[in-house]
């Protein structure tokens, strides 16, 4: 394993008699973007709080950048930036005053990055307005600017795209991708909007009711959890009248197939290795305009892992 | 908690941010200004005008005896000889009223102002969900508390001193025709303003912080914090009934005790409110 920025082993946390995290282990290599995924209440936010040393764990061990958050949290907080779900901004102060204040807390002497970040997140025109008058998306972008003020080595982002419009989501994801690529910033990102993460995360950690369900790269998870491949093919192939009606299941080249709509067939294959022979067989009879694996999205993977109970560790 | 010295930049940043928030909140402003205006403008105006027009000649013998006993009963010294040298009982009564009987009221101004700001400052962070941002930042909890204390202390002192300046101007302007000299302030005022009031403000803030870190909302914090007013009211009743005259020495002793209490309270607050305790109790 590469040099780890975050190394958490068997971490447990209870609140008011309720087990919020149950022996969860988490490894984030330096310079990688890791998605911490799970439904609401799965323990994602608690994990971020523990890693920052703002709450104490009940069991297990943790190191963040070489420090134990529980006993030596200040250096972790100094090298990390965080965007919490509520953004934690002062509504009576302007956007610039908020950034000025947090710059002082994080010991940023040079104020030039404030202007650059306001510019980057398209907030320059609104910098002197009280944050209370900002839209949800603007607050989120300002919260992100706040997290980036001191050029952190490590970023914790809790639902960073909540409340953003599609353009805002695109802007934020692109910015984070560039940040990781250009500065090598390690990012731990919590979200339940899975499709937004596919283009940015190197690996994933799935939590479910405080327990670790699975973790690994998308490829590792696919290999371990995907039992079959669903291939959608746009083709002129005629699979016979019996299966010609939409939805009815037939077989072609030994694989179950059904017609989704005229000219579109969906095959269920045992593995990716079956794709080429299938396409060759179809091409011998008809044309093929497109072929897509439809169950390899992160979302499909997530549901597959959940339904299998996550026993197969990678 | 680390033993290093406090971080001046962070403490000052928190104080500045809070003071800016106070100056932008009408609700807090009105509460802060109303009381000093009543005590420092309206009250002395009425008091001096009424006393200037008193017809001492029509007083009953008992009233005159009571007033004379009050002055005669003062400890022999500069104050007593100064009062006895004044031309009439009316002069003596007015001088006593504006310089001694009214002093406890000047404790109410800082106590109420500090309570209002302190409750808002701490519980406000929680209600606006910004405490989370502060606890995630690389600051020591001690610096956070110091910043908050400063953010209440400075505006309270400005309001109190500003109020006293207004009071002195009103009293002197109205009483000058009678006395031909300035009668406020005396040296006792200096001890009160520079020693007792800062100590009272500190204790008020720290008690409020102690309460705020435990309660759920702003109103609850204010109600509990309001209890601090009670000793001041008791002091005022004592002063008005003549049972207790705050001499400079007594003011000095009370101030010293209050500073000691402040120090102990600050230690308790920082010990009891470590980051994780504050986070688990206040952030949801």
């Amino acid at each position: 394993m590469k040099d780890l920025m975050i190394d958490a082993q068997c971490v447990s946390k209870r609140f008011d008699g309720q087990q919020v995290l149950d022996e969860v282990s988490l490894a984030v290599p330096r310079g990688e973007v890791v998605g911490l995924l799970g439904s609401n209440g799965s323990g994602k936010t608690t994990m971020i709080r523990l890693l920052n040393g703002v709450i104490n764990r009940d069991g297990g061990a943790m190191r963040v950048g070489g420090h134990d958050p529980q006993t030596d949290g200040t250096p972790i907080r100094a090298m990390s930036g965080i965007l919490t779900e509520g953004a934690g901004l002062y509504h009576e102060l302007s956007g610039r005053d908020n950034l000025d204040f947090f710059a002082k807390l994080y010991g940023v002497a040079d104020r030039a990055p404030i202007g650059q970040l306001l510019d980057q997140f398209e907030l320059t025109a609104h910098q002197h307005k009280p944050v209370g008058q900002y839209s949800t998306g603007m607050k989120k972008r300002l919260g992100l600017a706040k997290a980036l003020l001191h050029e952190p080595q490590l970023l914790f982002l809790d639902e960073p795209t909540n409340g953003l419009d599609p353009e805002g989501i695109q802007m934020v994801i692109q910015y984070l991708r560039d940040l990781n690529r250009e500065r090598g910033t390690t990012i731990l990102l919590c979200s339940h909007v899975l499709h937004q993460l596919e283009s940015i995360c190197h690996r994933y950690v799935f939590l479910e009711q405080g327990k670790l369900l699975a973790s690994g790269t998308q490829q590792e998870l696919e290999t371990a959890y995907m039992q079959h491949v669903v291939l959608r093919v746009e083709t002129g192939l005629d699979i016979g009248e019996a299966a010609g009606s939409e939805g009815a299941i037939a077989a072609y080249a030994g694989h179950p197939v059904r017609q989704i709509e005229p000219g579109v067939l969906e095959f269920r294959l045992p593995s990716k290795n079956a794709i080429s022979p299938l396409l060759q067989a179809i091409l011998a009879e008809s044309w093929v305009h497109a072929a897509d694996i439809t169950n390899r999205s992160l979302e499909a993977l997530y549901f597959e892992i959940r339904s299998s109970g996550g026993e197969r560790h990678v | 908690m680390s033993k290093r010295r406090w971080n001046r930049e962070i403490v000052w940043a928190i104080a500045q941010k809070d003071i800016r928030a106070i100056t932008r909140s009408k609700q807090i402003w009105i509460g802060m200004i109303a009381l000093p205006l009543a005590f420092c403008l309206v009250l002395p105006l009425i008091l001096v005008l009424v006393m200037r027009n008193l017809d001492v000649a029509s007083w009953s013998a008992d009233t005159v005896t009571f007033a004379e006993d009050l002055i005669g009963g003062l400890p022999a010294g500069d104050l007593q000889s100064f009062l006895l040298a004044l031309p009439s009982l009316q002069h003596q009564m007015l001088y006593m009223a504006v310089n001694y009987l009214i002093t406890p009221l000047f404790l109410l101004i800082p106590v109420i102002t500090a309570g209002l700001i302190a409750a808002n400052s701490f519980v406000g962070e929680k209600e606006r969900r910004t405490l989370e941002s502060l606890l995630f930042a690389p600051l020591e909890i001690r610096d956070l508390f110091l910043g908050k204390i400063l953010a209440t202390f400075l505006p309270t002192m400005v309001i109190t001193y500003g109020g006293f300046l207004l009071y002195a101007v009103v009293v002197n302007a109205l009483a000058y025709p009678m006395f031909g000299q300035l009668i406020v302030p005396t040296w006792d005022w200096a001890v009160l303003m520079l020693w007792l009031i800062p100590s009272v403000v500190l204790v008020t803030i720290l008690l409020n912080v102690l309460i705020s870190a435990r309660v759920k909302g702003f109103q609850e914090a204010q109600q509990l914090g309001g209890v601090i007013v009670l000793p001041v009211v008791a002091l005022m009743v004592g002063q008005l009934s003549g049972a207790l005259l705050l001499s400079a020495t007594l003011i000095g002793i009370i101030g010293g005790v209050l500073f000691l209490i402040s120090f102990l309270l600050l230690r308790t607050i920082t010990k009891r409110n470590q980051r994780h305790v504050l986070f688990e109790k206040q952030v949801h």
Side-chain angles (χ1 to χ4, degrees), chain B residues 193-214:
Chain B
M193 285 288 152
L194 299 175
W195 180 249
L196 183 64
I197 283 181
S199 71
V200 167
V201 171
L202 261 186
V203 169
T204 308
I205 296 170
L206 290 165
L207 281 175
N208 267 286
V209 169
L210 197 69
I211 293 164
S212 298
R214 287 286 180 275

Side-chain angles (χ1 to χ4, degrees), chain A residues 6 26 28 32-38 44 48 51 83 144 154-161 172-173 176-177 180 186-194 196-205:
Chain A
I6 295 175
L26 170 75
V28 177
E32 286 202 357
V33 183
V34 174
L36 187 58
L37 314 178
K44 307 186 295 281
I48 286 189
L51 290 168
L83 172 66
L144 199 54
L154 173 61
L155 257 185
F156 294 98
L157 305 174
D158 199 351
E159 305 288 355
T161 54
V172 166
I173 296 284
L176 294 176
R177 200 187 292 130
N180 169 257
T186 310
I187 303 175
L188 182 65
L189 210 154
C190 284
S191 182
H192 60 262
V193 191
L194 304 182
Q196 292 168 2
L197 306 180
E198 280 173 287
S199 63
I200 176 172
C201 290
H202 296 102
R203 58 181 67 237
Y204 304 92
V205 176

Side-chain angles (χ1 to χ4, degrees), chain A residues 131-190:
Chain A
V131 169
Q133 291 175 16
Y134 279 25
S135 69
T136 313
M138 285 160 73
K139 282 180 203 156
K140 206 68 168 183
R141 298 201 307 265
L142 188 67
L144 199 54
K146 180 200 103 183
L148 294 163
L149 273 171
H150 56 302
E151 298 189 1
Q153 296 173 45
L154 173 61
L155 257 185
F156 294 98
L157 305 174
D158 199 351
E159 305 288 355
T161 54
N162 261 12
L164 293 178
D165 55 20
E167 279 176 19
I169 292 171
Q170 194 65 31
M171 176 209 291
V172 166
I173 296 284
Q174 182 61 44
Y175 182 82
L176 294 176
R177 200 187 292 130
D178 292 347
L179 190 73
N180 169 257
R181 207 173 291 158
E182 288 161 17
R183 292 199 203 146
T185 309
T186 310
I187 303 175
L188 182 65
L189 210 154
C190 284

Side-chain angles (χ1 to χ4, degrees), chain A residues 13 54 77 88-90 146, chain B residues 125 130 133 275-276 279-280:
Chain A
K13 177 69 186 171
V54 295
R77 291 185 284 273
L89 300 161
Y90 292 93
K146 180 200 103 183
Chain B
E125 294 280 0
T130 45
S133 290
R275 189 181 304 264
H276 68 278
F279 201 101
E280 289 195 15

Side-chain angles (χ1 to χ4, degrees), chain A residues 13 15 49 52-56 74 77-78 82 84 88-90 92-93 97 101-102 104-106 146, chain B residues 10 13-14 16-17 20-21 24 125 129-130 132-140 275-276 279-280:
Chain A
K13 177 69 186 171
F15 279 125
R49 289 173 175 179
N52 277 276
V54 295
I55 55 173
N56 287 348
T74 304
R77 291 185 284 273
I82 181 158
T84 55
L89 300 161
Y90 292 93
E92 68 280 13
L93 300 182
D97 285 347
F101 171 62
F102 284 105
K104 286 176 197 162
L105 291 195
Y106 281 86
K146 180 200 103 183
Chain B
I10 286 182
I14 293 169
Q16 263 184 320
K17 186 267 298 169
R20 198 171 296 168
R24 287 180 191 180
E125 294 280 0
R129 303 188 64 188
T130 45
E132 193 181 28
S133 290
L134 296 177
L135 296 176
F136 271 117
L139 53 82
E140 298 294 337
R275 189 181 304 264
H276 68 278
F279 201 101
E280 289 195 15

